[in-house]
Structure formats: structure tokens, C-alpha cells
Amino acid sequence: MSPSRRRAALYERIPGGEDGRRMLWIALINKVGTGLWMGAAALYFTLVAGLPVAEVGVLMGISGAAGIAGAPLAGHLADRFPITRVLAATQVQQALALLALLTTHSFTLMLVYSAVGSLGDRGSNVLTKLCSARIGGPDRIRYQAIQRTVSNAGWAVGGLAAAVTLSIGTGHAYQGLLIGNAFSYAAVAALTLRCAEPQAPTRFVRGSGEPAPAAPPANPWRDRTYLLFTATETMLFLDDAVLQVGMPLWIVHATGAPHGLAPLLLVLNCVMVVFCQVPLTRFAPTPQSARTLLAPLAGFFVIGCLALTASARGGAWFATAAMLVAAAALTLSEMLHATASWELSVALAADDAQGAYLGVHGLAQSAQRSGGPLLVTAVIAAGPVAWPLLGAGVVVTCAAQNRLVRNRLPRTALSVPAVTVSEH
């Protein structure tokens, strides 16, 4: 088969039909825009807006904390209004919040606009996940993996474009990156409005094929198992802080590796996700098999932590090799967690309140984005011995999550549509 035919065949195998393919374009454009801006945001606030470094830290920290509320709020709205409309509204919200930054150099106003954008960002992530789960249907794990692959490719393209633009070093260059990201949000909002509203799960009465009588929707805030699951997820999302914050700082302050290795490790992370995320889904054909990924997830995280400890003990070449091992191991842990977390968060959610449940689950990643960098920098300050302790914490968390969810998960394969039954 020719390369063009292979690409066409792959395109046709994407779950969700035309809407599934459109959501992938949305993910690509969105992450290209994010890649343009994320690496330049702090520099914009200091070099263009003229804020002191301390104020930039406060602005980004408070706005990130404000965004935590976006996940449950968006999930709540998704159970009451069309998801595509709510998602498009959050995308427009982010575009307007970014453009508003161009109108002022006031710390207070920039904090408000950044917080509004952060609310939209966290809400958009939850809504995109919910849309993808419904569009992917029984192939949702594979679809999520494809979407994550596309997202990482977009992030890499945006990051490279930002690096070229930032080499110009002018205020207009920074403003151009901001406008580029705002334009990407406007573009994906237009695409989102062209998507059909994905069908929500339906409860059926056993043996009748008839919809079950309506009942009060489940409340995730009263679901002790789901709340504890979300709490454990906060710890398992730490790979993000270790890869993006911990490793660059560790290279500079604790190893003999060249400083230029830091961005290359992030490139390695993106490349591994692009090539490995989809193949890894074959190890999770059911919710129960997704749960079994927690063990290798913990194992690779520990290997990464041990490699970080070792990197502080040798010269430049040894440190570089150890950091490469650490980045590869932590990326494998990240990909396994992405697969397990995606499936478990959906499988454990009540069908009649998926939006609310996934909104609660979104708190885990939001909390990690606020607290993760603080924990990782504390580990760095404690020295090489602290990395294995962090790894041990992840092992304990994986064991606790495994025990917590194992009796609540359905055992049917994802290729077989699960049927929720009620006889009352």
C-alpha cells in the first residue's frame, strides 16, 4: 500500500466520523496556539508590560489557582446545556481574555484578565475530554490517544514557531505571539460550533430496550470513591511538574549536564508521545486492564526518580545520559497515566452526570498545576535523596488507587457498548 493510501486508511479509522476528525483539528490548532504563547507569557509580563519578577510570579500563581474553579463549573454546565455551545463559549472567553491583556499594563487588570483566561482554560479541558469520550464511544481510549498525539505535535510546532519569533526580541514579537494564540481560540470556537452535539449515555431497563425512568442525577460531591480517586490523581499528575519544572531546574542547579539539554528533553517527551501514545492503548482494552497500568506507571516513575538522583553523582556525559533515561522513563509513566486516567475517570462516572463527574476529576490536574511546582522545587532543595522518596509516594498512591477502584469498574471490553440497567 502506498504512503498516501496508508494515510487515507488511517484517516478513515479515526473514531467518531467527521466530528471525530474535526475535534482532532481543534486539538491541533488549539495546541499550536498554546505553544506560541505559553513559553512567552512570563517574558511578556516582564519585558513588555514591565512587571517586576515577583509580581509576575504572584500573577501567574493566583490566576492559576482561580482556574481551579473552571473544571467543576464547566462540568456542571455541560450537564444542562449543549456541550459544543459551552465549549465554544470557553474558547471565545480565552480569546477575549488574551486580547484584553494588550489593552493595559496594570497589574490588577492583568491579574483579572489572566484569571478569566485560566477559568476558560480549565473548563475547556474538561469539556474537550467529555466531547471526546462521547464521540469516541467504545473506542474512546484509542481516540484519546490519537487526540493526545495530535496535541503534542501541535504544541511542538507552536513552540518552535515561538522560539523563532522570540529571537527577534521586540515587544511587537511578543504581542504577535499573544494575538496568534487568541486567533487560534477563535478558530477552534468556529470549528466547535460546526460539530454535532455528541449523544449522552442512556440508561435502559433490563431486557426491554426501553429508556429507564428519569431519576435525580448523581452527585459527584457525594460519591466518596470518586472523590478519593480524584485526590489520588493529583499525585499522579506530578509527572507534568517534574518534566516541565523539575528537570530544567535540576539540570542547572544539581548536575554537570549542559543547560541546553533542558529544552531537548521536552522535545524527547513530545516525540515519544507522538510515536508511542496510540500503540500503548492496546494494553488497556477494558476498564479493568486500564487499572493494571498503574503498576508499570509507578515502576517507570521510580526509574525516572532514581535516574535523577544518579545524574547528580557524575560528570557531564554521565549526567546527560542519566537525564535522558529519566526523561524517557517519566514520559512512559506520563503516557501510561494518560491512558489509565482517561478511562478510569469516565468508567467511574455516573452516566447521567458525566459532565459533573469529569469536572470534579479536572480538579486534580488543576490542583497539580498550582501545587506541583512547589512540591518539585522543595524536592530539588532537599537534594538527590528526595527523588526516591517522591517515587515511593507515587508507588503508594498507585497502590491506593488500584485498591480503591478495582471493585467498582465494569469488566466489559470497550469495543462492546456497556449497558446500564435499572429495574425500578
Side-chain angles (χ1 to χ4, degrees):
M1 183 183 294
S2 68
S4 60
R5 289 185 177 180
R6 281 198 298 269
R7 286 193 296 270
L10 176 62
Y11 188 74
E12 291 299 323
R13 292 200 303 270
I14 293 173
E18 186 61 35
D19 282 334
R21 292 187 282 272
R22 189 172 284 124
M23 285 298 294
L24 294 182
W25 277 109
I26 289 170
L28 178 66
I29 296 169
N30 183 29
K31 292 305 179 182
V32 169
T34 302
L36 286 174
W37 174 242
M38 288 304 294
L43 296 176
Y44 175 88
F45 290 132
T46 54
L47 300 179
V48 178
L51 299 182
V53 173
E55 287 190 357
V56 173
V58 171
L59 184 151
M60 299 187 78
I62 293 178
S63 62
I68 293 176
L73 176 60
H76 176 81
L77 293 174
D79 287 331
R80 286 155 179 79
F81 302 100
I83 299 175
T84 53
R85 302 301 184 266
V86 182
L87 176 57
T90 63
Q91 291 159 344
V92 172
Q93 176 183 344
Q94 293 175 86
L96 294 177
L98 273 174
L99 293 175
L101 292 175
L102 294 173
T103 67
T104 183
H105 289 172
S106 163
F107 170 78
T108 302
L109 288 177
M110 296 185 86
L111 174 60
V112 171
Y113 299 149
S114 296
V116 170
S118 183
L119 275 170
D121 174 66
R122 303 316 304 157
S124 176
N125 285 349
V126 168
L127 295 169
T128 300
K129 179 178 179 179
L130 182 56
C131 273
S132 299
R134 293 182 179 177
I135 287 173
D139 287 330
R140 63 187 180 221
I141 280 188
R142 180 170 171 268
Y143 183 72
Q144 183 265 351
I146 295 172
Q147 189 176 64
R148 194 162 188 269
T149 299
V150 169
S151 295
N152 272 266
W155 187 290
V157 170
L160 290 173
V164 173
T165 304
L166 290 178
S167 65
I168 301 173
T170 65
H172 290 304
Y174 288 98
Q175 291 169 343
L177 294 175
L178 185 154
I179 293 171
N181 192 17
F183 178 79
S184 74
Y185 286 131
V188 297
L191 283 174
T192 299
L193 291 174
R194 294 185 61 191
C195 292
E197 181 67 13
Q199 184 176 0
T202 303
R203 291 179 177 270
F204 294 95
V205 177
R206 186 188 302 276
S208 71
E210 297 294 327
N219 186 344
W221 298 105
R222 297 178 180 176
D223 189 331
R224 180 173 176 271
T225 298
Y226 202 85
L227 290 176
L228 290 173
F229 166 71
T230 299
T232 59
E233 284 285 88
T234 303
M235 183 71 175
L236 299 188
F237 275 116
L238 270 178
D239 51 65
D240 181 66
V242 174
L243 284 162
Q244 296 194 32
V245 179
M247 294 187 71
L249 291 176
W250 187 250
I251 287 172
V252 172
H253 295 288
T255 78
H259 296 181
L261 179 64
L264 296 180
L265 295 181
L266 293 179
V267 172
L268 173 63
N269 171 263
C270 287
V271 170
M272 288 183 64
V273 171
V274 168
F275 285 98
C276 302
Q277 187 72 69
V278 174
L280 282 174
T281 61
R282 70 184 63 180
F283 298 108
T286 68
Q288 288 288 352
S289 59
R291 175 182 62 84
T292 64
L293 295 180
L294 293 170
L297 181 166
F300 282 117
F301 195 96
V302 169
I303 291 172
C305 288
L306 293 175
L308 285 167
T309 297
S311 67
R313 305 296 185 186
W317 285 104
F318 180 82
T320 298
M323 292 301 298
L324 288 170
V325 171
L330 289 167
T331 299
L332 284 168
S333 178
E334 175 194 15
M335 290 188 290
L336 291 173
H337 178 240
T339 300
S341 175
W342 166 267
E343 176 54 24
L344 295 179
S345 63
V346 175
L348 292 170
D351 288 341
D352 57 354
Q354 275 190 340
Y357 270 76
L358 294 183
V360 168
H361 181 258
L363 290 173
Q365 194 168 18
S366 297
Q368 186 282 139
R369 287 194 174 187
S370 295
L374 296 176
L375 177 58
V376 168
T377 52
V379 169
I380 293 172
V385 71
W387 287 114
L389 294 177
L390 183 64
V394 169
V395 171
V396 171
T397 303
C398 284
Q401 187 178 111
N402 185 21
R403 182 178 180 84
L404 179 69
V405 306
R406 65 184 177 185
N407 294 325
R408 182 162 154 176
L409 293 173
R411 297 180 181 276
T412 53
L414 294 181
S415 59
V416 180
V419 178
T420 306
V421 298
S422 171
E423 295 179 344
H424 304 288

